[in-house]
Amino acid sequence: METLHPTSGYTALLLGDLLRELPRAEDFFTSLGLPLPAGDESTETYFGRIPAETLEDLGIERRELGERFTAFMDLLVVLRDKGNGPAIEAITILGGVDKDGAPEDFSLTIRPGEVISIVGPTGSGKSRFLADIEWLAQGDTPTRRRVLINGCAPDPARRFSLEQKLVAQLSQNMNFVMDLTVAEFITMHAESRMLGDVAGITATVIAKANELAGERFSPHTPVTALSGGQSRALMIADTSCLSISPIVLIDEIENAGIDRRRAVHTLVGEGKIVLMATHDPILALMGDRRLVFRNGGIAALLETSPAERANLAAFEEMDARLTAVRNALRNGERIDRL
Amino acid sequence: MRLVTVAGPPSSGKTAVIIRAAEALRADGVRVGVIKFDCLSTGDQALYERKGITARTGLSGNLCPDHFFVSNIQECLQWGEQSGFDLLVAESAGLCNRCAPHIKDVCAVCVIDNLSGVETPRKIGPMLKMADLVVITKGDIVSQAEREVFAHRVRQVNPGAVVMQVNGLTGQGGYELGRLLAGAEETVSLTGRLLRFSMPAALCSYCLGQRKIGSDFQMGNVRKIDFS
């Protein structure tokens, strides 16, 4: 059978052929609560024989079923072929204005594998900056910034494309809420991405998460039973391998139970662009550059200087000493000596 | 005037999302009014008014809330015209997951939240499946994976809709939603317009005030569970 293209008349094809090509086509029927058509039946025929009463109950008109099925199949083909699209090599943000209308005057180009720190007080414009990237602002947001992909203004349709969402977010407040085990959870995420080797990628994500977490966990642990550190580790491993988005925003990840430097390396290793909102000097200095936010705009773009890098060793030593004190406290020891 | 219908399960964040979009639009000089449909009581009108947004409430009381909606929406439109709004938002809760207040050629928005669980998109009927724009809320408290899976499930049941994340607490996405609502079609009159889907069939003895349980007391449109 020929490879499906978005223009094919899906409804005339036999279901058996469709399922061989795109097994997840069956989700269309399960998501509506309909039994699967027979393998040697076209969906057109199948839709024709659904009782009117069933359609009433579903709240769908017969002619709409075909339209919806076509839209669904188009979506599957796009998901399957997404790897064939042009990769993101660079995202450029052209400065606009701050809250008072003063020009920002910067042009920032970020590439996969880069780490950029974001600093500034609450309300200084960090969220709006992220939103401008998400929305692919073209001078049409309050900041008047413009976002380019691979040096060009992106196709306007991209703004609403879930498959091409630019920013994934990871913050302190996020929790798992699904009632599933770790393995079921990651499998579900991988399936939604229409990946071929779901079992393989699931195992990889769980192994990576265990490398990051202080305490190991099994694939059979319910996600809601993971500790804070384990949850964060699983979120980072999952985002690095399975998220659609090339940019990952990390918002003030706490120090407990996870190796944060390794976490950042994991994301960068998978070709993500890491934006890190943090006021922790050790994390901030992991960035190649840092964006300083003030009054709704970017006030400065600082390259991490050699002197700052040299200080990193000193900060790490201080951090190690404080960690040792914390561990002593946890072990029931006295902390009367420095 | 532009009209949009916003529907979604209770506590999904409809009011917070509308307030965020209205605030963003007000900064651009767009006059927004809200008509809130609810069943028994609502404090949302006060919530809107505290934010300086003109709002009215329609309580359906002991009538089916969606039938109440259809019987009143034309008058709501007139109120909006007389009040000089540029955009009127009709907010209503979808209570039985089967109804939808969405009207053909009137921008239809469905608000659902990430916390409601990944099976929820499949359980909601025309309110979600026939919306033009699906707003997903409460993304700040669930993982990236859950946000992606949830959005994917929404796309499965409504492949044609624009799906976006809006955070009612932080306002993230509110500006962008406002831009989309401000671009809705102008609606001059609703008389003769069609609902996107028929309301569920009703009219049994219980609609008419019967309270006794048992087959002898059931008349009209009655359906039984098949235990065979």
Side-chain angles (χ1 to χ4, degrees), chain A residues 197-211:
Chain A
D197 180 17
V198 170
I201 190 91
T202 302
T204 306
V205 169
I206 296 173
K208 271 188 190 227
N210 268 309
E211 282 170 29

Side-chain angles (χ1 to χ4, degrees), chain B residues 100-120:
Chain B
H102 303 321
I103 302 163
K104 277 190 177 149
D105 304 320
V106 172
C107 175
V109 182
C110 179
V111 180
I112 49 174
D113 73 274
N114 274 301
L115 283 181
S116 63
V118 283
E119 296 304 325
T120 299

Side-chain angles (χ1 to χ4, degrees), chain A residues 180-187 206 217-223 226 234:
Chain A
L180 294 175
T181 68
V182 169
E184 289 168 340
F185 179 80
I186 303 299
T187 301
I206 296 173
F217 57 89
S218 100
H220 310 296
T221 314
V223 287
L226 297 174
L234 185 60

Side-chain angles (χ1 to χ4, degrees), chain B residues 141-176:
Chain B
I141 43 182
V142 303
S143 65
Q144 178 69 26
E146 284 159 302
R147 279 192 297 279
E148 290 183 11
V149 172
F150 193 84
H152 176 73
R153 292 284 176 98
V154 166
R155 279 288 293 276
Q156 283 188 328
V157 297
N158 189 345
V162 166
V163 180
M164 64 188 298
Q165 305 266 349
V166 178
N167 188 314
L169 282 184
T170 64
Q172 200 176 339
Y175 176 86
E176 291 75 9

Side-chain angles (χ1 to χ4, degrees), chain A residues 27 56-57 59 64 68 75 128 135 140 162-163 168-169 174-178 188-189 238 243, chain B residues 98 118 129-130 140-148 153 155-157 162 172 175-176 197 223:
Chain A
D27 286 347
E56 276 278 299
D57 288 349
E64 259 183 337
R68 281 170 175 268
L75 175 68
R128 185 64 249 168
W135 187 244
D140 58 352
L162 284 182
E163 296 72 54
Q169 289 190 41
M174 289 172 187
N175 285 297
F176 292 118
V177 295
M178 279 185 200
M188 180 184 254
H189 192 194
D238 168 85
S243 174
Chain B
R98 165 62 177 73
V118 283
K129 291 174 182 143
M130 296 200 171
D140 57 328
I141 43 182
V142 303
S143 65
Q144 178 69 26
E146 284 159 302
R147 279 192 297 279
E148 290 183 11
R153 292 284 176 98
R155 279 288 293 276
Q156 283 188 328
V157 297
V162 166
Q172 200 176 339
Y175 176 86
E176 291 75 9
F197 202 75
R223 187 195 292 191

Side-chain angles (χ1 to χ4, degrees), chain A residues 43-106:
Chain A
T43 47
E44 214 159 38
T45 322
Y46 174 76
F47 293 149
R49 69 175 172 85
I50 296 176
E53 208 173 73
T54 308
L55 293 174
E56 276 278 299
D57 288 349
L58 283 174
I60 283 188
E61 286 172 44
R62 200 179 300 278
R63 78 177 155 72
E64 259 183 337
L65 274 172
E67 290 166 20
R68 281 170 175 268
F69 186 69
T70 301
F72 186 91
M73 293 304 291
D74 284 346
L75 175 68
L76 284 193
V77 171
V78 168
L79 279 172
R80 187 195 58 184
D81 297 345
K82 64 189 174 304
N84 306 339
I88 291 194
E89 284 155 18
I91 295 172
T92 305
I93 300 113
L94 302 175
V97 294
D98 72 6
K99 275 181 194 160
D100 298 328
E104 289 182 303
D105 192 29
F106 76 90

Side-chain angles (χ1 to χ4, degrees), chain B residues 200-207 218-223:
Chain B
L203 220 67
C204 66
S205 44
Y206 296 105
C207 301
Q218 294 161 358
M219 280 177 298
N221 206 341
V222 176
R223 187 195 292 191

